[in-house]
Every structure is written in C-alpha cells, then in structure tokens.
Amino acid sequence: MIVRMWEARAEPAGFADLIAWVTEDALPEFDHHPLHMSSEVFSSTDHRLVVISKWRGSPLDLPEPPARLVARPPHVWDFAQVDR
C-alpha cells in the first residue's frame, strides 16, 4: 500500500472554495479507480488542506488546483507502511 499526502496552503479568502474544489471536483475522480482504497481530507486553522489517499499501487496525482485558491503550489509526499 502507498499512502499519498497532498498538502496545500489556501489563500485565506479562498479556503472554503479550495475545500469544495478538492471534495467535489478533484477527489471524485479517484472514487472508481481500481487501485484507490480511500481518501480523507483534513483542514487546519492556518488555511492548510491535507488529503491522505491510500492506494494498492501507483497513486494518481490530484489535478492542479485553481491558482487563485492557493498561496503556493501544493506539496506531495508518498509513504509506505513500516512493519513493526
């Protein structure tokens, strides 16, 4: 399993619109992909939005968000589970 973390800092005035874009436009593209297991969306008080998605193989990229909604380009990291 690969876990992809996508993080973006929203423009303060665009925070609600960025959340709507992620949940209504970007993530539904993953819902029926055979390698996609699940996705969760988290927000912070400093206008950051994080998407954690779990994949059975190579993750798909979220599309680029509308530039007017983000203060900087999103960051993306992939993680693998550690056996303990």
Side-chain angles (χ1 to χ4, degrees), residues 27-61:
L27 284 180
E29 297 293 320
F30 293 171
D31 287 341
H32 301 291
H33 192 281
L35 298 179
H36 180 249
M37 297 169 63
S38 66
S39 291
E40 298 176 285
V41 180
F42 301 90
S43 65
S44 70
T45 57
D46 66 347
H47 303 108
R48 290 178 196 256
L49 196 62
V50 172
V51 176
I52 305 291
S53 57
K54 295 179 182 179
W55 298 84
R56 290 182 186 90
S58 297
L60 295 181
D61 293 328

